[in-house]
Amino acid sequence: HHHFSLSHVHTLFSSTNVILQNIRRCFYKSFITELMRSSHCLFAAFLYQEYRDTSEQQEIEQRRQRDGLPTAGLGSESGVTVGSGVTVGSGMISPPALQLQLRNTGRSLSLWQNLEAVQNSGLLSRLSPQESECWTGWTDIDAMFELVTSEASYYKSLELLERHFLQNSDLITSLSQSDIHFLFSNIADIMKASERFLMDLEHRIEESLQISDVCDIVYHHAVEHFHVFISYVINQVYQEKNYRRILQENTGFRESMAALENQPKVKGLSFTSFLILPFQRITRLKLLVQNILKKVEENTEREINAIKAHQELERIVKECNEGARKMSRTEELISIEKTLEFKSKSVPVISHSRWLLKKGEVLQMTGPKSTRTMKSRKLYHPIYLFLFNNLLLITKRSSNGEKFQVLDSCSRSMLRTEDMEDQGQMLAFVFVLKLLENQEDRPVSYMLKTSSMSEKLRWICALTPNRRTRFLSTSTHQPDSPQVQCIQSYSAQEPDELSIEMADVLHILERTDDGWMMGERLHDGERGWFPCRVVEEILSSEVRAQNLRECQRIQQAQGGQQGGTRAASRGRRATKTALYSPTWINQSEQEQ
């Protein structure tokens, strides 16, 4: 008997839609949570840290097989449990047909193509040769499936961080509010972003056994929600420093933390391995999308979505890296400036556009350069070099070792080096450093001796970066340049070193006889030194050529798409494509 206006009807339907979306969201959250907690759930065996190790180890094993090397014998068994639909009210809301799980048997990751449900469906026989045959045995759908399963594993680890550490009353009551913020930062926002992302990925898999795409979802979430990663990663500089401080000063926290880390559910993993999860995930996510991009058919909507997602993730990872570096670099410059004493002309060290590249002691050779005096210790005087990206300071350490007296300085662009290796064994570790225009506006040369062959080469490469390296860069597209794969993670100890992760593939630029290499990582072009012991040379020319082709394809694909996504990358919200809209709605957004 009541008359409703169109606005009343619209309001009623909008409210109903929000309620249904929230019911659906709550259902998915409870379903995912139940999936993770289930005692028979295969995922329960894997935290994200374990997934990363297993995934990277499998990449290494696949490459070793192609190189004809013995492998560690990773098992190949995998499988999933097929879920059944659940009716809620009058509508059908089915949990994903494929429960996204990893089997612990042989520590092998599940492939989409090996799932019982997929094999029984007959899908594999209907796929095109391009989709069903690949030298790794991974199709683009396998690559998409790994992205989803790994996100679920990541969310499980975040939940453990929250429930086991953040919600532990003994641990939290031992901390001040500022220390809680230093340690956990915006982890609640990170968890919310992962929950939304995982929900949409799960919903996509529910739609069809043959996963249509995931990169459209990745792109949407990267633009709309992944900005929370940037602030978290930038805060990590303070996070690590304050964690060490709290451990030293706070007995209650130290005892609570030791007890929590020893509990079986943590599986022997440290608290810090949970704190670094967000940065590990956002960088891994970029690589997973890159893996999809390598495998999708060219000139398709899938490829366009993969390129857009990759570019957006690359922007986020770059902002994370630059933000974190900026914080630590500024602190480092302030610390260095406090130790410097200028003899005559003072040089301002602290600058937003300056950072340290290398520092260390070398020996300056003085006096007549005869063979007889070469052996005299009086010939050598220690000096200490501070090399920044745009400036070199030549200093002398004070008697107490805490201060450095600046003897000379020069713009980095005005430096030249000359290796003396061909001048005889006596000069094997010696090189000449030429300052074309020093602080007194005149040319000067220094003959310097290092402690090893690798240290000499590292100084030469840092001082004069444009000199030709022994091997050419990947940008020259040489078909058979030397490549290595990382088999043991390495954290950089010096500014000129490169932190590398297991399974990273690097192009070799320099190699020394005493165990060091300078390489360029294929997936991001980052360069630096690392010890030879943490890498294996890629022997197969086919694998090397494949790596280069894939690298070039990504570069070419991105080159053709740069203009299309630049507006969104500058911070504008992404326009939702007809193919994809999120499966959840934020009520506050709906009301606007």
Side-chain angles (χ1 to χ4, degrees), residues 533-551:
R533 60 181 168 76
V534 301
V535 297
E536 269 183 359
E537 189 156 358
I538 297 174
L539 304 176
S540 167
S541 58
E542 289 179 21
V543 175
R544 293 196 297 270
Q546 173 92 18
N547 290 338
L548 274 185
R549 278 197 305 273
E550 289 174 350
C551 181

Side-chain angles (χ1 to χ4, degrees), residues 53-71:
D53 289 347
T54 304
S55 176
E56 290 163 354
Q57 189 60 48
Q58 280 192 204
E59 287 181 48
I60 294 168
E61 295 298 309
Q62 288 167 355
R63 191 265 311 158
R64 280 178 174 164
Q65 283 177 350
R66 296 199 71 202
D67 272 348
L69 297 173
T71 63

Side-chain angles (χ1 to χ4, degrees), residues 361-383 396 424-431 447-451:
E361 190 172 87
V362 293
L363 296 174
Q364 181 187 1
M365 298 177 69
T366 56
K369 309 298 187 295
S370 66
T371 308
R372 185 170 52 80
T373 57
M374 285 285 179
K375 296 176 182 177
S376 166
R377 293 195 177 185
K378 293 177 183 178
L379 184 66
Y380 306 107
H381 298 283
I383 58 173
K396 180 183 177 183
Q425 188 60 37
M426 194 70 72
L427 298 174
F429 300 166
V430 174
F431 70 97
M447 186 172 276
L448 304 175
K449 184 177 183 181
T450 60
S451 58

Side-chain angles (χ1 to χ4, degrees), residues 258-510:
L260 289 171
E261 286 185 327
N262 284 328
Q263 288 189 21
K265 66 173 74 173
V266 182
K267 300 187 178 182
L269 295 165
S270 68
F271 173 60
T272 51
S273 79
F274 288 89
L275 290 182
I276 62 172
L277 283 172
F279 184 54
Q280 289 181 333
R281 181 56 185 167
I282 196 68
T283 51
R284 182 72 181 173
L285 202 54
K286 190 192 88 166
L287 294 181
L288 290 169
V289 169
Q290 202 172 84
N291 198 31
I292 294 169
L293 182 53
K294 291 173 186 175
K295 294 171 174 24
V296 293
E297 198 173 340
E298 292 185 37
N299 303 314
T300 60
E301 193 154 18
R302 271 188 187 175
E303 186 191 44
I304 292 168
N305 288 334
I307 291 167
K308 286 166 66 180
H310 185 265
Q311 285 179 338
E312 193 60 25
L313 289 171
E314 196 163 61
R315 180 189 67 80
I316 292 168
V317 170
K318 189 177 180 182
E319 279 196 44
C320 285
N321 281 326
E322 287 178 353
R325 283 172 183 164
K326 191 174 182 180
M327 302 289 273
S328 56
R329 283 170 174 174
T330 303
E331 286 194 355
E332 192 170 40
L333 289 178
I334 293 169
S335 175
I336 289 171
E337 191 177 57
K338 287 177 181 175
T339 67
L340 297 176
E341 294 176 338
F342 289 90
K343 191 175 179 182
S344 53
K345 190 176 178 181
S346 180
V347 179
V349 171
I350 299 172
S351 165
H352 289 299
S353 59
R354 179 169 293 151
W355 61 88
L356 184 72
L357 292 179
K358 189 168 177 61
K359 63 178 181 177
E361 190 172 87
V362 293
L363 296 174
Q364 181 187 1
M365 298 177 69
T366 56
K369 309 298 187 295
S370 66
T371 308
R372 185 170 52 80
T373 57
M374 285 285 179
K375 296 176 182 177
S376 166
R377 293 195 177 185
K378 293 177 183 178
L379 184 66
Y380 306 107
H381 298 283
I383 58 173
Y384 201 93
L385 306 182
F386 289 96
L387 178 66
F388 304 95
N389 62 310
N390 53 9
L391 175 72
L392 171 70
L393 295 180
I394 299 174
T395 74
K396 180 183 177 183
R397 197 192 288 265
S398 64
S399 54
N400 62 9
E402 294 176 2
K403 295 282 186 179
F404 296 90
Q405 188 181 50
V406 179
L407 307 174
D408 209 346
S409 63
C410 181
S411 166
R412 187 177 177 222
S413 62
M414 302 295 282
L415 299 175
R416 300 293 183 269
T417 56
E418 182 187 343
D419 196 345
M420 304 294 287
E421 188 178 7
D422 57 355
Q423 301 295 313
Q425 188 60 37
M426 194 70 72
L427 298 174
F429 300 166
V430 174
F431 70 97
V432 174
L433 172 62
K434 298 175 182 177
L435 281 57
L436 301 185
E437 192 176 288
N438 73 347
Q439 64 186 18
E440 295 170 359
D441 299 326
R442 62 184 181 86
V444 63
S445 292
Y446 293 86
M447 186 172 276
L448 304 175
K449 184 177 183 181
T450 60
S451 58
S452 65
M453 186 68 76
S454 58
E455 191 61 17
K456 179 189 75 173
L457 199 53
R458 284 170 67 166
W459 271 115
I460 290 174
C461 289
L463 290 160
T464 46
N466 295 326
R467 61 177 285 280
R468 182 168 174 166
T469 52
R470 184 184 304 190
F471 306 107
L472 296 176
S473 166
T474 48
S475 59
T476 60
H477 304 311
Q478 292 297 310
D480 202 27
S481 302
Q483 294 174 15
V484 294
Q485 185 174 45
C486 177
I487 57 170
Q488 181 187 332
S489 295
Y490 178 75
S491 290
Q493 306 297 308
E494 299 289 339
D496 65 334
E497 292 179 10
L498 181 66
S499 291
I500 53 177
E501 298 288 340
M502 276 177 62
D504 277 355
V505 174
L506 302 107
H507 174 82
I508 298 306
L509 299 171
E510 285 286 1

Side-chain angles (χ1 to χ4, degrees), residues 212-232:
S212 58
D213 198 359
V214 294
C215 288
D216 54 338
I217 300 175
V218 175
Y219 175 66
H220 169 82
H221 282 266
V223 171
E224 295 282 345
H225 307 296
F226 286 177
H227 56 87
V228 296
F229 283 95
I230 299 169
S231 49
Y232 185 90

